[in-house]
Amino acid sequence: MPGTRVAVVGGSIAGCAAALALYRTGHHDITVHERTSGELSARGVGVAVHEGRYTELAAAGYLDPAMTHIKLRGRHWYVRSPDSGPAAPLGRLIRTESFDFRTYNWGPLWRELRARVPAGVRFRPGSAVTAAAETSDGALLTTADGTTDRYDLIVGADGYRSVVRAAVHPGLRPAYAGYLAWRGAYPEDRLPDGALWDPASAAYVVFPGGHVVLYRIPGDRGGRRVNWVLYTAPPPGPGLPLDSPGGPPPGRVGTVLREHLAALTAAHFPPFWRRVIDLTEPGELFVQPMYDALASPGVTRRIALIGDAATVARPHTGAGAVKALQDATLLEAALRDGAALPDALSAYDSAREALGRTMVGLGRSLGTALVTGAPDWRTLDDAALAAWWRAADAAGAFGGTRTPERTEPPRDT
């Protein structure tokens, strides 16, 4: 569909992938609206990609070996035991298993994807979109400066707080899951006794009512960083506004939440893992309420949703970035078939929704198993934990599921 005028709302990983997919299918009049005027690559949290999904996304031309990453080989499950102390700083090891993932730093990964978007695509930083709407002869996009522009196609890649979603699925609001993720990342050289923890392994440290996932990611300009995500319910009483997606930015986590985190690690963590969390500076700490949402439908005749704008799945799935990139491959495949735009978007949405529904279901299942309905971890041994995980991930979808086979290789950009 050469000559089609396209707007992509959101310039992060999903937005860059969407722009690349559109350009490859002959849409060269593309404008990307990104509300943030600062440097997106400053975000330094971790992204994990299952090796199987990496292979598919690399074949599709969205990832490649040049993108800086760390290969993980194993996952180790720990719980605090009565003898946790100097003699057992990591706690009791419940289980060791293979864990075939690559980890990335969000910022450098975004820079790599941004660099692959052809120069002809127009990026507009600081262009906040306030509304989208479809008309009989196009789609309208309104920005914060009051300007309304007409496009032939709008792709909403504006995340879990999507504005574009309202034009596709009015009234859909992500539902709060009842707990938070505390997140932090910092340079590895801050970590004492780092040799206790193999850089090629992820650690799951479990405690009553939650768990924390810890792994290394590449540094922004070399070296490695410690990255962790801790899931548990917030303390009772007034706190974050949880009726709509959001959370305080890094460095703005309030005293109540910081003190709750410190008390939790002191009460339930083996010494080494408590130290890993405690070394996170206030400016490196943020919290993220957990939500679920699945836009069905996720398209109209001229508007399509991609990534978290279309499907909000909890990070337990290990497939957040994968989901956005897979959506881009599905959008590319649908547009490449040469069907009329409404039919192409409908075909994209059918495939996208099937994958999204699986990931939302997995996120809910793992949320129950790991947080809201967590077992007494102290009673589990290797065999019991293995059986518990098989039940929690009954679909075998952890890390993402396969996308449909491509019928032709990606075109050069």
Side-chain angles (χ1 to χ4, degrees), residues 3-379:
T4 303
R5 188 165 187 251
V6 184
V8 176
V9 181
S12 64
I13 286 176
C16 289
L20 189 55
L22 290 160
Y23 196 91
R24 286 174 171 172
T25 54
H27 301 80
H28 293 172
D29 186 356
I30 304 171
T31 301
V32 178
H33 296 265
E34 168 53 45
R35 64 182 179 84
T36 303
S37 56
E39 179 58 58
L40 284 177
S41 65
R43 302 175 185 178
V45 297
V47 173
V49 176
H50 186 277
E51 191 67 26
R53 306 294 78 75
Y54 165 79
T55 299
E56 297 166 20
L57 291 167
Y62 289 84
L63 296 177
D64 64 59
M67 296 176 172
T68 305
H69 64 278
I70 294 173
K71 289 267 292 187
L72 299 182
R73 296 189 300 266
R75 173 166 63 173
H76 304 270
W77 294 80
Y78 296 97
V79 65
R80 182 170 175 171
S81 59
D83 58 350
S84 291
L90 301 181
R92 178 171 69 88
L93 177 62
I94 307 174
R95 178 173 172 79
T96 296
E97 57 197 353
S98 62
F99 197 69
D100 202 11
F101 277 76
R102 296 177 176 225
T103 70
Y104 298 85
N105 183 316
W106 194 101
L109 178 61
W110 174 83
R111 282 200 301 268
E112 294 278 1
L113 285 167
R114 175 68 181 87
R116 284 159 173 73
V117 177
V121 175
R122 295 178 296 276
F123 268 73
R124 292 185 180 172
S127 179
V129 170
T130 57
E134 182 170 330
T135 68
S136 59
D137 62 347
L140 303 178
L141 202 64
T142 302
T143 51
D145 62 5
T147 301
T148 298
D149 286 325
R150 179 193 171 282
Y151 295 92
D152 300 298
L153 169 63
I154 294 173
V155 177
D158 48 341
Y160 71 120
R161 292 178 287 181
S162 174
V163 171
V164 180
R165 187 192 296 128
V168 176
H169 203 297
L172 176 64
R173 294 169 64 86
Y176 176 52
Y179 60 96
L180 310 179
W182 277 257
R183 302 193 68 150
Y186 57 82
E188 183 188 42
D189 58 14
R190 192 185 304 168
L191 185 66
D193 302 322
L196 290 173
W197 175 21
D198 180 1
S201 70
Y204 273 50
V205 182
V206 293
F207 57 88
H211 70 295
V212 62
V213 184
L214 309 99
Y215 53 85
R216 308 309 208 290
I217 61 174
D220 185 47
R221 303 291 178 182
R224 294 189 297 235
R225 292 171 65 83
V226 172
N227 180 83
W228 59 267
V229 189
L230 184 151
Y231 303 90
T232 195
L240 294 172
L242 299 173
D243 58 333
S244 62
R252 303 285 183 85
V253 177
T255 301
V256 171
L257 289 178
R258 290 201 308 271
E259 290 179 347
H260 181 72
L261 176 64
L264 186 150
T265 59
H268 299 298
F269 274 45
F272 177 80
W273 304 114
R274 176 187 178 186
R275 182 68 171 153
V276 172
I277 303 300
D278 288 350
L279 285 169
T280 310
E281 296 179 355
E284 298 162 335
L285 177 67
F286 68 101
V287 297
Q288 176 186 358
M290 295 292 96
Y291 295 91
D292 303 307
L294 178 66
S296 179
V299 300
T300 65
R301 293 174 59 84
R302 294 184 178 271
I303 304 175
L305 304 176
I306 189 171
D308 284 350
T311 308
V312 182
R314 305 179 205 178
H316 307 295
T317 61
V322 165
K323 175 169 56 66
L325 295 172
Q326 286 181 320
D327 284 358
T329 69
L330 294 172
L331 181 62
E332 179 183 349
L335 293 174
R336 197 186 292 284
D337 283 345
L341 181 59
D343 294 332
L345 295 186
S346 179
Y348 156 71
D349 195 47
S350 178
R352 187 275 319 165
E353 183 181 340
L355 291 178
R357 192 172 297 280
T358 297
M359 300 320 294
V360 170
L362 175 63
R364 289 171 174 162
S365 176
L366 292 179
T368 299
L370 285 160
V371 183
T372 58
D376 183 348
W377 303 106
R378 298 168 300 177
T379 67

